[in-house]
Amino acid sequence: KANSEWKSLINGSAEGVLFGGNIDTLNFLCGTRYLMPPKDDTIFFIELNGMSLAAIDRALEQLLQSGIFATTRGIIVGKFHAYDFSSSGHIKETQENHFIEIDKMILEKFSCLNVPIVSRVDCGHTDPMLTLPIGIKAKIINAEISILESAIV
């Protein structure tokens, strides 16, 4: 289902190289040589899915404590989807109150970074799915995202 309302949790503009991914994968890589803070200004994107609010809270805290956000100038949070594990893991409709709780948690965790944050973005496990190519320059202005260079040759 399309998400037509990306939400700016903290207004502002930021420019940097896209970096990030699925929160579970990022957490698994914490502390390894495969997940080092980028050296350049970064637009960090996180995709969450199928997790309880408590699990999201722990995962976000682990990333914060890892130092991965040292060069972050803006944050993109993918639209959350819950899963119905009783029916082969199909995506089920996520309720608005779930989105509100996740947005509150994102603000609580990331407001200390003083960067713009856009939430509910159609990236990750969504349909439609916006592809955010790692290593490509991007810009955030409030709830708008612009890819600033070609991701293909």
Side-chain angles (χ1 to χ4, degrees):
K1 182 173 181 180
N3 177 8
S4 61
E5 294 190 26
W6 296 358
K7 185 173 182 178
S8 179
L9 301 182
I10 297 179
N11 284 330
S13 65
E15 192 172 315
V17 174
L18 285 166
F19 181 78
N22 176 275
I23 197 165
D24 286 331
T25 304
L26 295 172
N27 283 158
F28 290 141
L29 294 174
C30 273
T32 72
R33 62 188 169 126
Y34 301 105
L35 187 67
M36 298 293 182
K39 294 179 178 129
D40 299 323
D41 288 349
T42 304
I43 301 295
F44 201 97
F45 65 92
I46 301 172
E47 184 256 332
L48 318 161
N49 62 31
M51 303 169 76
S52 69
L53 291 173
I56 293 169
D57 183 62
R58 286 190 303 272
L60 293 173
E61 188 63 32
Q62 180 179 357
L63 288 178
L64 272 171
Q65 296 302 320
S66 76
I68 197 75
F69 296 102
T71 60
T72 297
R73 302 296 171 250
I75 296 176
I76 297 169
V77 181
K79 181 181 179 185
F80 179 83
H81 280 297
Y83 287 95
D84 181 357
F85 291 106
S86 66
S87 65
S88 303
H90 292 94
I91 293 174
K92 66 179 180 180
E93 193 70 29
T94 303
Q95 302 297 317
E96 177 63 19
N97 63 338
H98 216 119
F99 288 133
I100 291 168
E101 290 302 313
I102 291 169
D103 287 345
K104 280 187 206 174
M105 190 180 304
I106 295 291
L107 274 172
E108 179 183 307
K109 294 291 182 187
F110 293 140
S111 61
C112 63
L113 298 176
N114 297 313
V115 299
I117 301 172
V118 59
S119 180
R120 306 182 190 193
V121 175
D122 295 304
C123 64
H125 291 78
T126 61
D127 182 19
M129 179 178 56
L130 170 67
T131 299
L132 297 174
I134 293 173
I136 299 300
K137 288 186 181 180
K139 186 173 188 172
I140 295 173
I141 300 177
N142 300 327
E144 289 185 21
I145 301 167
S146 300
I147 304 299
L148 301 179
E149 56 188 13
S150 177
I152 58 172
V153 178

